[in-house]
Amino acid sequence: MGTPRFDPSHSVKFDLQRGHVDLDGNRLLVPAEALLDLCRAAGQEPLADFGRRMGTEVGRRVQARLGDATGAASIGEMVEHLGGDVALLGLGSLSVERWGRALVFVVDGSPLGAAGDALLGAVLEGALQRGLGKDVHAVLLDRQDEQARFAILGAAGAEKAEAWLGEGVRWGEVLSRLQGAA
Amino acid sequence: MSADQIARLEALLARVQKNSAQPRPVRPALSAAAATEPAPEPEPAHPVEPMLEPEPLEPVAAEEVAIEMAEPEIVSEAPAIEMGVESIEDLDLLDDDIVDITDTPSAAPEAAFAAEEPEEPPASSRRPRAAANMTEALEGVADQLDLEGRQIPIVTPPPESGPQAAPPVPPMVQPPPPADLARSAGMDDLLDDQFAPPLGGPTPEQLGGTVELEAGGASLEIDEPDFQESAPPPQSSPRATSRPLVAPEPEPIEAELVARPIPPPDQAPAAFASRSFRPETFIELLEASLSLGA
């Protein structure tokens, strides 16, 4: 049994008569700048909760489409579904890099910019937790222009990585050290 | 002036005065019926407010207006009558201005005209007369040209711009190929040229030989490339060398794969190359990544 393809047809419905936007439930189209202002005022913990809540919706949709095939999905298939749902939220283009044993998510073209990296990381965490049942930590490794790179690590690995990044270690070296520490 | 003529003039004057005294027909007044017609009642500007409705004009007032309009017509007729009377009364008839057309012409002028010799028309007064037919026209032209001393045949020769022999068409020759393709005689040669050494390289005779360098004194041996060893197909049919005309059906569009080996700004760690980890599923990669740093 093959994995179903991601089909965004009729995913988002605009009911202009009632003034509703539907994506498996009511959605709001809000300006990115206004959302950023709200996130700045909310603080880190509420922002993380808000992002994980958004990611939970993504993971739920992915799990609903893949069903039992979620565990057998290849890297490309999973990125196709995860990236498709992230794109439907308007958060940018999602791709995956694999550095040895390290899983790295790359989000390109997010309208939130660098100020929204914390929100993006929380969205990824919530999506993987809800879709695959794994508690993960998305650690921001690097940002160049419109491209943000997140390492998906466990709690111990995330703590070490953040510590090294705080010391000024480049993200490539951080990944290398993680490989050696494993 | 004789008494007879005076009597005639007086009779003419009396007849003119008599005719002028007769009344002339008066023109009808302009649009009398329309002028006497009552003006249309204006519609109220605001039907909701009947108090502001103006009162309609009385038909009598319209008749008065019509009478006033008719008066200029009457005035305009009066000067015509007065002018007729004044023109006759003030007419100053002089004997010198009266020409009696009833008089019989005298014979003296006719004699004077008869005595004169008819003048020849000037040269410029000769008007060209349209020829009756083509022959007459050609003869007229010939006569005129004879007077000028030119000799042309009467019958115009046929024009020389008739059917002519078309110039020879140059044979269609294929233009010479460009310089870089001059050595290629066909498609097979063209394909073979893709594997030929670049221009300026060693010739086939130089391949395998030893070239002595002037400066360093070291010798350089040029190996024959591998593509020279493979003999070209002896006779390749056009079907074998030409591309298929029917394009293959496009494959369904798929999402690009994810793993993009972009090296980080700092050099990729060498530890990544030695790893032989090849996850087949996403969950396998995720679990491996979660185990890092533990």
Side-chain angles (χ1 to χ4, degrees):
Chain A
M1 179 179 177
T3 305
R5 303 296 304 272
F6 175 74
D7 184 11
S9 301
H10 307 291
S11 296
V12 183
K13 299 176 182 176
F14 293 89
D15 188 352
L16 300 182
Q17 188 71 22
R18 300 170 54 201
H20 287 179
V21 181
D22 182 83
L23 175 62
D24 282 350
N26 291 331
R27 293 291 185 270
L28 290 178
L29 297 178
V30 296
E33 289 296 330
L35 180 61
L36 278 178
D37 292 341
L38 183 61
C39 292
R40 290 191 192 101
Q44 291 185 353
E45 197 63 29
L47 173 64
D49 292 342
F50 176 64
R52 288 192 187 98
R53 179 67 182 273
M54 292 178 64
T56 298
E57 289 296 315
V58 173
R60 183 185 61 79
R61 289 168 51 84
V62 172
Q63 207 278 334
R65 279 194 303 268
L66 297 180
D68 295 338
T70 303
S74 65
I75 298 175
E77 291 167 348
M78 183 58 69
V79 170
E80 178 184 359
H81 285 268
L82 273 178
D85 276 300
V86 169
L88 283 178
L89 294 181
L91 292 177
S93 175
L94 179 70
S95 58
V96 164
E97 293 177 358
R98 183 176 68 84
W99 295 93
R101 301 174 64 90
L103 171 64
V104 176
F105 276 146
V106 179
V107 179
D108 197 356
S110 170
L112 301 176
D117 286 343
L119 181 63
L120 277 179
V123 170
L124 296 176
E125 291 174 358
L128 293 177
Q129 186 177 25
R130 178 64 175 84
L132 299 174
K134 301 289 183 182
D135 291 332
V136 301
H137 294 267
V139 178
L140 178 65
L141 293 177
D142 179 55
R143 166 167 277 276
Q144 293 180 352
D145 297 333
E146 295 185 351
Q147 192 177 74
R149 186 173 276 107
F150 296 90
I152 306 301
L153 302 171
E159 184 178 357
K160 292 181 180 177
E162 289 176 348
W164 289 327
L165 290 172
E167 296 173 359
V169 179
R170 293 195 172 188
W171 67 271
E173 178 64 22
V174 170
L175 292 179
S176 178
R177 291 183 182 182
L178 287 174
Q179 307 284 329
Chain B
M1 180 177 295
S2 63
D4 187 18
Q5 292 178 344
I6 293 173
R8 288 183 180 180
L9 287 175
E10 289 177 352
L12 177 62
L13 178 59
R15 192 169 63 243
V16 168
Q17 289 177 349
K18 181 182 178 182
N19 292 336
S20 62
Q22 293 179 356
R24 297 187 177 181
V26 180
R27 299 177 183 175
L30 286 175
S31 63
T36 56
E37 187 175 339
E41 181 179 359
E43 296 181 356
H46 301 284
V48 184
E49 301 175 357
M51 297 298 293
L52 299 178
E53 181 179 4
E55 295 181 0
L57 296 175
E58 293 292 335
V60 178
E63 290 180 355
E64 291 177 357
V65 173
I67 293 172
E68 291 176 358
M69 291 179 61
E71 287 180 358
E73 294 294 332
I74 298 172
V75 172
S76 63
E77 293 293 333
I81 300 173
E82 292 177 355
M83 286 180 62
V85 175
E86 291 177 354
S87 60
I88 295 173
E89 291 178 354
D90 299 339
L91 184 61
D92 186 11
L93 297 176
L94 299 178
D95 293 341
D96 298 339
D97 297 336
I98 296 175
V99 178
D100 190 2
I101 58 175
T102 60
D103 291 346
T104 56
S106 60
E110 292 180 356
F113 284 111
E116 294 180 357
E117 296 180 356
E119 296 180 356
E120 295 182 356
S124 59
S125 63
R126 183 179 181 183
R127 297 178 180 175
R129 185 171 56 87
N133 49 23
M134 184 60 70
T135 305
E136 184 179 351
L138 292 175
E139 289 177 352
V141 173
D143 294 342
Q144 185 175 358
L145 292 178
D146 287 342
L147 295 176
E148 297 175 359
R150 296 175 57 183
Q151 298 292 334
I152 61 170
I154 294 177
V155 180
T156 303
E160 297 179 355
S161 60
Q164 296 179 353
V169 179
M172 298 182 64
V173 179
Q174 184 178 6
D180 53 346
L181 299 178
R183 295 181 294 107
S184 302
M187 182 60 72
D188 295 339
D189 295 337
L190 181 62
L191 293 175
D192 293 338
D193 285 347
Q194 296 180 358
F195 304 98
L199 297 178
T203 61
E205 294 76 14
Q206 294 175 338
L207 295 176
T210 302
V211 178
E212 295 293 333
L213 298 178
E214 297 178 356
S219 60
L220 175 64
E221 183 174 357
I222 302 176
D223 296 332
E224 291 188 7
D226 296 337
F227 57 81
Q228 291 292 342
E229 296 174 357
S230 60
Q235 289 182 353
S236 58
S237 61
R239 179 177 299 177
T241 57
S242 61
R243 296 179 179 177
L245 297 178
V246 180
E249 294 183 358
E251 298 180 354
I253 300 175
E254 297 181 355
E256 292 183 359
L257 185 52
V258 215
R260 294 184 297 176
I262 302 175
D266 47 350
Q267 293 298 322
F272 297 151
S274 60
R275 304 288 180 176
S276 58
F277 178 66
R278 297 289 179 186
E280 294 183 355
T281 61
F282 181 82
I283 193 70
E284 187 179 353
L285 173 62
L286 177 62
E287 289 177 349
S289 184
L290 293 178
S291 64
L292 291 176

